[in-house]
Amino acid sequence: IIRVSDAVFRLLNVIMNGVMISVYVFTAGITNWLFSFIVVLVSPLMYVIYALLKRRLIYVSKDLKTTNINLEKMLSYFLDNISFYKGNQKQHLLRYNFLKSSQEFRNAYFRFANLNSIGVAMREPLILLVLVSSVSLYNIFSSNLNGISSIAAVLFMFYRASSYFSLLQVALNQFR
C-alpha cells in the first residue's frame, strides 16, 4: 500500500509540474506571442545541454558503482585473508592492490561529483543565455520596442516555467 501511495504521489507531482509549465507558457503566449514563440524555439538548447550532461553523468555513475564494488571486494578479501598474507610476508602486495582500488574509486567519485556540480551550477547561466538570446532575436525580428513590460512579464513567466521544468525532470526521474 505504501509503494502504491508513493507512486500515486509521484505521478501527481509530475502532473502538477506539467500543468504549471503549461499555464506559464500559455499565459506568456497570450502576453506577447512573438517573443514567446522565440523563447520556445531557443529553449531546446538548454534541454540538449542537460541531456548530454545527464548521459555523461549516467556513464560516470556506472563507473563509480563498478569501482565501489571492486573496492568492497578488495577490502573483504583483505579482511578474510589477513593472517595468510602476514604469514607469507605478502601483505605489501595486498596493500598495493588495495591502494590502487582506493585511488580508482577516489578518481571515479571526483569525476561524478565534478559533473554533478557542473549540472547544478549550469542551470542559472543556461536560463540567462536562453533569455538573453531570445531578447536579442526579438529585437532583430520586431520593430515594436515599446512592449518592454510585456517582454519582462514573458521573461518572468518563462523563468518560472523553466524552474518547474527542472522540477518536472526530477519528478520524472523519481517516478521511474
Side-chain angles (χ1 to χ4, degrees):
I1 293 176
I2 293 172
R3 292 175 70 188
V4 172
S5 71
D6 192 38
V8 169
F9 173 76
R10 289 181 178 168
L11 176 65
L12 291 175
N13 200 7
V14 167
I15 292 170
M16 181 198 68
N17 288 324
V19 167
M20 291 302 293
I21 291 169
S22 302
V23 166
Y24 277 118
V25 170
F26 180 74
T27 308
I30 290 173
T31 306
N32 190 336
W33 69 270
L34 180 62
F35 186 68
S36 299
F37 181 71
I38 291 172
V39 172
V40 168
L41 287 180
V42 175
S43 294
L45 170 73
M46 187 170 63
Y47 177 75
V48 167
I49 291 173
Y50 268 115
L52 292 173
L53 182 67
K54 182 180 176 186
R55 187 177 304 138
R56 182 69 182 152
L57 198 58
I58 288 172
Y59 174 76
V60 171
S61 176
K62 288 179 183 177
D63 186 38
L64 178 65
K65 183 174 120 180
T66 304
T67 56
N68 187 25
I69 289 171
N70 290 341
L71 183 63
E72 287 178 4
K73 283 181 184 177
M74 184 63 65
L75 185 59
S76 175
Y77 184 75
F78 174 73
L79 293 175
D80 288 343
N81 299 313
I82 194 165
S83 60
F84 171 75
Y85 282 103
K86 279 187 176 181
N88 290 336
Q89 299 297 320
K90 302 276 185 183
Q91 58 214 25
H92 65 282
L93 292 174
L94 192 59
R95 181 177 177 266
Y96 172 75
N97 289 336
F98 180 72
L99 290 176
K100 182 179 169 187
S101 294
S102 172
Q103 183 67 29
E104 288 175 3
F105 176 75
R106 197 174 331 148
N107 290 339
Y109 185 77
F110 178 76
R111 285 192 307 271
F112 178 78
N114 195 14
L115 280 175
N116 196 25
S117 65
I118 288 172
V120 170
M122 272 183 16
R123 181 178 170 268
E124 294 293 327
L126 277 177
I127 291 171
L128 288 176
L129 176 69
V130 166
L131 296 179
V132 166
S133 60
S134 299
V135 169
S136 300
L137 286 172
Y138 181 74
N139 286 335
I140 291 171
F141 291 123
S142 175
S143 61
N144 182 13
L145 298 177
N146 296 331
I148 195 73
S149 60
S150 68
I151 291 175
V154 169
L155 285 176
F156 174 72
M157 288 179 216
F158 273 105
Y159 180 77
R160 294 296 300 152
S162 66
S163 297
Y164 278 107
F165 184 72
S166 62
L167 291 174
L168 177 68
Q169 287 178 327
V170 169
L172 278 173
N173 288 335
Q174 288 177 348
F175 183 67
R176 292 181 190 157

